[in-house]
């Protein structure tokens, strides 16, 4: 389990990296790294390997680590987006917030009534912390493209939680992986393109125009 | 021995058939007389001599010899109206016992068929009126359909009182002389309510004063008569004859409830029954002569009142 | 032919596959329609064989396969109760599919038809699956599919705001109902430990949980069946949907609500005393309110939809009387009422299905559902007129048609109750039911007269055209079924025996069976006498001189078609003078005043009175309260995400505080 714990810590660190990075490209790379790590995690968490788990790991790693980041990069180039992140909340405050939420996640998960085999593991706190970090990214960043990354990070957190359940309910995890694919198509294709076309910019603050008067 | 039984049963058969024929003959031929009697009574109260009592028969004969006039607007529905109207009343008549004489046709639940038949006849009469496209006939159709919808609960509630002491759910058993006599002994108050309520129904269903005035000449105030304005010749004859039959059916209903008397002798019972029906017709004539028509908008109150009477009947009777 | 439940599963597969193929062929509507409709017909044929075998007394069958969804197993079963509801689905489904192909092709130039074809097949398939399912998860999946397919079909004409609104209202009500069902099945699960119906029946909930289950079933399934006041979705949806879909909605989908009720009651095992009176109260109030409102409708299909609520009410009254009488020791009454209720389920499917097809044909021939624009159609649409005559008489519960037979059983049960001396209250029910039936006759003679008779009230009605055979034959098939079921009620009764036993009702007494047979014979005789009488009369007409002339105008020389009694004027006496104003239309009129009067106006608002008087003011008030919260709606995406973030944090905090220091 040592290897798995190391991977989980890397996931946590990547959360901080993404919140602290000032370049959009770095944020995307961070999410790609996280995706690859999660793929490895699926294999390492479980003592015995079977085909199903390997497949899930492969698909997750490919989609999260390669496919979606590539598409994001492409969208960045196509959308002529400035490279700066343009945060609504500064880098230092967001890092601080992330530290608070990660600490909170560790405290929360120690109070949760977990099954004995998960009690000491970092899986649950990492999952919660990643979900919350994803939220922070979503809230504190203005650009649509960084928001997509935020959503991906949030999803990564849920995926970590799903790994815990992989043996009990493989179906749910499969559905989760499929959902990733769906997000890739949906978020990328529809949201980014639409914002770009309708508002000729990738700034979500323009969506205020849709507000009901 | 078997020979004798055979002869006996054949004799019984023949006498049954003869009685059935007499029953049907009376049911077919007697009704128009009631219209004549009502007319005579009204003429008497009006200080006139009036047409002879047999005048309705002559009118019918005259109508059946005539040709037809059809509106260009009308379709087969208009032609079906009088036919279905007469057939349904005739079949309702077949289900109705006349005094102590059993109904020619009876089965469990035929009392609901009785109501259904009247509904079917009304449906086609109303549809035929709408088929002419005349605003006056449409008006009459709306009135007739609305008022008879309100009359329906009264009929059913009254039947619920009668079924309490009957030996079965057929009209024949519910209105049998023994059944109603038993009911009169058990719950006389309820039976009075039902009899009054059925009498009100008779007035409504047959478009008599105070609900409707069959003799009025003003289309705007009519209900039933305005619906049949466009019918002519034999079709109108069918309608007139159907109206007479319907009056007779409802008169039998009221007489069966109000006057359950039998002498044990079939011929004497016929006299007794027809006498009661004639007396009822005279009563209707007197009522029509002495009472003014209700305002159209007060008719619903009369209908609701008749239903409420039956409700009291149910409460008293159970 | 595959017997047993697998045959019906195959039917579902055929329905879905043919629907998907049709969806793929969106660009070729002709082919897509043919594929979809023949898929339904083929599927119905496949499903009919096992269904009929079970109804004829064959053995029930079950099958199950594992499913990776948590708690779900693919458990299906075919027993008499399922078969009873399956039969009208398959028959009406096949007839409506044939009709619907032609009906939808009229829209081929303006709309894409792939989805409507697919959606119809999916709707039928999901309904079949609902009655087959023997596992709560599978049931709910099928139930939701059914709701969504129906909602999308309702919004078929999605560029019309009322169609969108109808679909929306339907979805909202369907999900409120589904919410009740979720809780209901969770309660079952709590006592049984599994989501399988078989386990539910082993250890059903008892005590207050059983009461909760029954109440949730009445609300959840009752909203599908359309009990007042949960009926608001029904008239909108039936009016907006394509007519063959309306036929399915009214003929079968509403009955699925009854399937759910009966299934849950069966799973609960012991019958509570209050079910009967509750069903009677719900049923009679639904029937009375709905038939009064039906009388005022200006839209052909909305009037039919309200009449569906009325018929649903009548079925509920029958079930309620049967339960009540059964628990009070009146087996004969209970048997009659149950037979009436069950038979009415089938009868209503056939007659109302047929009437919606008629409405579709009229809509097709004239382009309008507005009764004030119609009139005089029986000349231009003779076949539709014949089908409508049969449908209208059946729906008015008049002999010699099938609607009368089932209501006859119901009334007879109440008469028997009266004969047994059961106290005044149940007897008064007869009066109310009689009022319902009489008002139904009033509503339908109005519809009949205004649509078919008199003179056309508009140009579209003047130039109406009859539908093609693909549409008229399905209508005639259903009309023929109406006649057949009225003439052979004994046959229908025999087919209901299995359900009757499964629902736990007593068998019809031999004397009553005999009477029912006599009623069938009487109906046959009535048909014969009426047809013969009509023939004789026509013979007389031919032999006498006949003059054709204008209708007698009571001395008025220049009558016009607009002077006829119309839909509104026909029901005016009832709405203004006789029936409660609470249910009536809201009338606004400007009367002409003075010597040189200005323009006079009159309008009547016939929207649902409960929507208008209760729901809309209530929702408006809620919206008023919520207006003070408008600042929450920022229009800034990150603000919304912050709300979500805060909610997640709060939930985590709550969980951790609740388990506070437990480990």
């Amino acid at each position: 389990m040592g290897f798995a714990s190391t991977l989980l810590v890397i996931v946590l660190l990547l959360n901080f990296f993404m919140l602290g990075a000032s370049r959009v490209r770095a944020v995307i790379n961070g999410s790609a790294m996280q995706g690859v790590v999660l793929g490895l995690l699926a294999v390492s968490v479980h003592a015995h390997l079977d085909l199903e788990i390997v497949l899930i790991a492969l698909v997750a790693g490919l989609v999260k680590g390669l496919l979606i980041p590539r598409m994001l990069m492409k969208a960045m180039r196509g959308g002529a987006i400035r490279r700066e992140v343009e945060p609504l909340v500064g880098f230092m405050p967001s890092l601080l917030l992330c530290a608070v939420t990660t600490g909170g996640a560790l405290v929360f998960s120690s109070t949760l009534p977990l099954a004995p085999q998960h009690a000491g593991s970092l899986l649950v706190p990492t999952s919660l912390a990643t979900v919350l970090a994803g939220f922070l990214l979503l809230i504190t960043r203005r650009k649509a493209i960084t928001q997509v990354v935020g959503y991906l990070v949030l999803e990564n957190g849920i995926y970590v939680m799903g790994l815990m359940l992989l043996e009990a309910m493989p179906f749910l995890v499969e559905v989760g992986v499929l959902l990733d694919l769906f997000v890739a198509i949906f978020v990328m294709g529809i949201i980014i393109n639409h914002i770009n076309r309708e508002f000729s910019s990738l700034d979500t603050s323009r969506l205020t125009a849709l507000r009901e008067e | 021995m078997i020979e004798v039984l055979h002869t006996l049963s054949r004799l019984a058969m023949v006498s049954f058939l003869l009685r059935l024929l007499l029953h049907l003959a009376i049911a077919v031929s007697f009704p128009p007389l009631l219209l004549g009697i009502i007319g005579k009574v009204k003429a008497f109260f009006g200080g006139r001599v009036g047409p002879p009592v047999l005048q309705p028969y002559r009118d019918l004969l005259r109508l059946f010899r005539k040709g037809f006039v059809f509106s260009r607007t009308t379709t087969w529905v208009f032609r079906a109206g009088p036919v279905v109207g007469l057939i349904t009343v005739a079949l309702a008549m077949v289900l109705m016992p006349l005094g102590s004489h059993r109904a020619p046709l009876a089965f469990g639940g035929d009392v609901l068929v009785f109501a259904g038949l009247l509904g079917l006849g009304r449906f086609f009469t109303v549809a035929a009126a709408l088929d002419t496209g005349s605003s006056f006939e449409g008006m009459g159709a709306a009135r007739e359909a609305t008022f008879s919808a309100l009359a329906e609960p009264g009929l059913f509630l009254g039947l619920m009182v009668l079924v309490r002491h009957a030996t079965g759910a057929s009209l024949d058993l519910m209105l049998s002389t023994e059944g109603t006599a038993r009911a009169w002994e058990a719950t006389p108050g309820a039976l009075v309510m039902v009899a009054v309520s059925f009498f009100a129904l008779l007035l409504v269903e047959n478009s008599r004063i105070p609900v409707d005035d069959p003799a009025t000449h003003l289309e705007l105030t009519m209900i039933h008569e305005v619906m049949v304005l466009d019918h002519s010749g034999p079709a109108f004859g069918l309608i007139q004859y159907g109206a007479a039959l319907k009056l007779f059916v409802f008169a039998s209903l009221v007489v069966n409830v109000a006057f359950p008397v039998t002498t044990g002798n079939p011929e004497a019972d016929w006299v007794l029954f027809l006498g009661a029906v004639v007396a009822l017709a005279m009563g209707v004539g007197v009522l029509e002569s002495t009472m003014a028509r209700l305002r159209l908008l007060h008719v619903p109150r009369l209908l609701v009142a008749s239903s409420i009477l039956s409700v009291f009947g149910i409460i008293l009777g159970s | 032919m595959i017997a047993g439940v697998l045959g019906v599963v195959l039917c579902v597969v055929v329905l879905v596959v043919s629907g998907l193929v049709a969806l793929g062929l969106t660009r070729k509507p002709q082919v897509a329609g043919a594929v979809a409709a023949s898929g339904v017909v083929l599927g119905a044929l496949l499903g009919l064989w096992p269904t009929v075998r079970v109804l004829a007394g064959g053995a029930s069958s079950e099958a199950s396969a594992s499913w990776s969804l948590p708690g779900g197993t693919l458990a299906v079963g075919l027993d008499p109760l399922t078969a009873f509801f399956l039969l009208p689905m398959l028959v009406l489904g096949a007839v409506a599919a044939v009709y619907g192909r032609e009906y939808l092709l009229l829209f081929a130039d303006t709309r894409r038809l792939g989805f409507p074809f697919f959606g119809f097949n999916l709707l039928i398939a999901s309904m079949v699956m609902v009655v087959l399912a023997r596992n709560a998860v599978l049931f709910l999946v099928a139930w939701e599919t059914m709701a969504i397919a129906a909602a999308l079909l309702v919004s078929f004409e999605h560029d019309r705001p009322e169609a969108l609104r109808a679909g929306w209202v339907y979805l909202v009500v369907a999900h409120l109902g589904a919410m009740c069902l979720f809780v209901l099945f969770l309660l079952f699960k709590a006592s049984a430990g599994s989501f399988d119906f078989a386990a539910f029946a082993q250890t059903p909930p008892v005590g207050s949980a059983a009461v909760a289950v029954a109440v949730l079933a009445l609300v959840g399934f009752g909203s599908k069946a359309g009990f007042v006041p949960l009926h608001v979705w029904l008239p909108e949806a039936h009016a907006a949907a394509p007519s063959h879909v309306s036929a399915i909605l009214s003929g079968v989908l509403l009955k699925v609500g009854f399937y759910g009720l009966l299934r849950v009651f069966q799973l609960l095992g012991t019958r509570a005393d209050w079910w009967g009176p509750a069903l009677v109260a719900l049923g009679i109030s639904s029937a009375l309110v709905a038939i009064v409102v039906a009388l005022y409708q200006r839209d052909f299909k909305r009037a039919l939809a309200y009449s569906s609520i009325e018929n649903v009410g009548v079925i509920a009254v029958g079930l309620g009387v049967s339960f009540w009488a059964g628990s009070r020791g009146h087996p004969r009454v209970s048997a009659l009422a149950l037979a009436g209720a069950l038979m009415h389920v089938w009868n209503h499917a056939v007659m109302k299905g047929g009437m919606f097809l008629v409405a579709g044909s009229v809509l097709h021939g004239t382009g309008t559902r507005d009764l004030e624009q119609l009139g005089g159609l029986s000349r231009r649409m003779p076949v539709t007129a014949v089908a409508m005559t049969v449908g209208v008489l059946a729906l008015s519960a008049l002999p010699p048609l099938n609607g009368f037979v089932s209501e006859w059983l119901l009334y007879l049960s109440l008469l028997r109750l009266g004969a047994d001396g059961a106290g005044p209250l149940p007897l008064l029910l007869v009066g109310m039911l009689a009022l319902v039936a009489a008002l139904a006759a009033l509503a339908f003679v109005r519809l009949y007269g205004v649509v078919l008779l008199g003179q056309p009230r508009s140009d579209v009605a003047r130039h109406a055209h009859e539908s093609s055979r693909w549409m008229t034959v399905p209508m005639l098939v259903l009309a023929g079924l109406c006649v057949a079921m009225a003439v052979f009620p004994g046959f229908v009764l025999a087919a209901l025996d299995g359900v009757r036993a499964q629902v736990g009702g007593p068998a019809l007494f031999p004397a009553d069976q005999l009477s029912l047979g006599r009623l069938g014979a009487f109906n046959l005789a009535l048909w014969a006498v009426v047809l013969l009488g009509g023939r004789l009369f026509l013979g007389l007409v031919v032999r006498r001189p006949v003059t054709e002339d204008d209708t007698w105008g009571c001395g008025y020389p220049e009558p016009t078609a607009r002077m006829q009694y119309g839909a509104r004027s026909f029901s005016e006496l009832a709405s203004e003078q006789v029936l409660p104003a609470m249910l009536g239309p809201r009338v606004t009129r400007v009367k002409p005043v003075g010597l040189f009067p200005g323009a006079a106006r009159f309008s009547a608002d016939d929207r649902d009175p409960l929507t208008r008087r209760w729901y809309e003011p209530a929702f408006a008030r809620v919206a008023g309260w919520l207006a003070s919260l408008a600042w929450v709606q920022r229009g800034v995406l990150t603000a919304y995400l912050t709300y979500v973030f805060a909610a997640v944090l709060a939930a985590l905090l709550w969980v951790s505080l609740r388990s506070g220091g437990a480990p």
Side-chain angles (χ1 to χ4, degrees), chain C residues 343-576:
Chain C
M343 211 181 271
H344 206 62
V345 170
W346 278 2
N347 283 340
H348 183 245
V350 174
M351 59 202 191
K352 189 53 71 59
M355 268 307 270
F356 270 112
L357 298 192
V358 165
S361 177
V362 167
L363 181 58
H364 170 211
T366 62
T368 181
R369 306 194 301 253
D370 182 357
L371 293 175
E372 306 287 10
Q373 306 284 318
L374 298 171
L377 292 184
S378 74
R379 276 174 186 279
R380 315 231 10 142
M381 307 179 73
V383 185
T384 306
V386 168
M388 184 166 174
T389 309
V390 171
V392 156
L393 288 175
L395 284 167
S396 309
L398 290 174
L401 282 153
N402 58 345
F404 178 70
V405 176
S406 33
E407 296 216 5
W408 179 86
L409 283 165
L410 187 50
Y411 284 117
L412 195 56
S413 77
L414 291 168
L415 276 181
R416 292 276 177 227
L417 204 55
D420 288 359
L425 213 55
L427 304 192
L428 297 184
L429 196 57
V430 171
M432 289 191 259
L433 272 180
L435 187 62
V436 167
L439 288 176
L442 177 60
F444 279 105
V445 77
R446 162 182 181 267
L447 215 53
Y448 187 67
V450 171
V451 172
L452 288 185
L453 307 178
Q455 297 202 341
R457 290 181 179 77
S458 68
D459 274 342
V460 285
R462 211 162 285 127
H463 300 117
H465 58 89
E466 181 61 285
S467 310
S468 77
R469 283 204 190 130
W470 288 103
M471 283 168 72
T472 51
V473 170
M475 290 190 287
L476 291 180
V477 166
L478 293 178
L481 274 176
C482 284
V483 175
M485 289 168 83
V487 175
F488 305 109
F491 193 69
V492 180
L493 185 77
L496 296 176
D497 202 52
V499 205
R500 194 265 313 151
Q502 198 179 346
V503 175
L508 210 59
F509 279 34
D512 293 330
Q513 283 191 30
L514 199 66
S515 298
L516 186 68
R518 297 236 170 102
L519 178 67
F522 185 87
N523 281 338
L524 185 63
L526 185 53
W527 273 110
V529 173
V530 166
L531 292 179
L532 183 71
R535 181 73 199 76
L536 286 176
F537 182 73
L538 286 185
L540 187 68
V541 171
V542 171
R543 276 184 277 119
R544 292 286 165 85
V546 173
T547 319
E548 294 247 312
D549 206 337
D550 287 337
T551 296
W552 164 236
C554 301
Y556 189 78
E558 291 289 329
T560 73
R562 292 194 58 188
M563 290 170 67
Q564 290 176 95
Y565 251 47
R568 159 74 197 162
S569 38
F570 192 86
S571 55
E572 190 192 11
L573 180 63
S575 74
E576 304 292 301

Side-chain angles (χ1 to χ4, degrees), chain B residues 169-220:
Chain B
S170 78
L171 206 56
D172 187 41
L173 292 173
M174 287 165 68
L175 295 175
S176 70
T177 322
E178 308 87 59
T180 24
R182 253 200 319 278
W184 273 104
E185 254 173 51
T187 50
L191 266 280
V192 171
M193 303 277 183
V194 173
V196 173
S197 152
F198 279 0
F199 184 67
L201 259 170
L202 177 147
L203 297 177
V204 175
E205 289 281 345
N206 294 287
S207 347
R208 313 304 307 191
I209 290 177
V211 176
D212 189 5
D213 186 356
T216 180
H217 60 276
L218 193 59
E219 292 92 342
L220 267 176

Side-chain angles (χ1 to χ4, degrees), chain C residues 1-4 47-61 78-80 83 87 495:
Chain C
M1 286 277 174
I2 303 174
L48 268 179
W49 172 240
T51 307
V52 168
R53 271 182 55 154
V54 169
L55 286 176
S60 307
S61 62
L78 180 64
D79 55 11
L87 186 71

Side-chain angles (χ1 to χ4, degrees), chain B residues 147-160 197-198 201 303 306-307 310-311, chain C residues 428 430-436 438:
Chain B
F147 290 154
S148 54
L150 286 177
E152 200 89 347
L155 176 63
F156 277 89
L157 290 167
L159 293 174
M160 289 307 278
S197 152
F198 279 0
L201 259 170
L303 296 168
S306 101
S307 295
S310 295
V311 170
Chain C
L428 297 184
V430 171
M432 289 191 259
L433 272 180
L435 187 62
V436 167

Side-chain angles (χ1 to χ4, degrees), chain A residues 124-140:
Chain A
V124 178
T126 311
S127 153
L128 286 176
T130 314
V131 167
L132 296 174
F135 260 121
L136 282 175
L137 265 177
L138 276 169
I139 293 168
T140 59

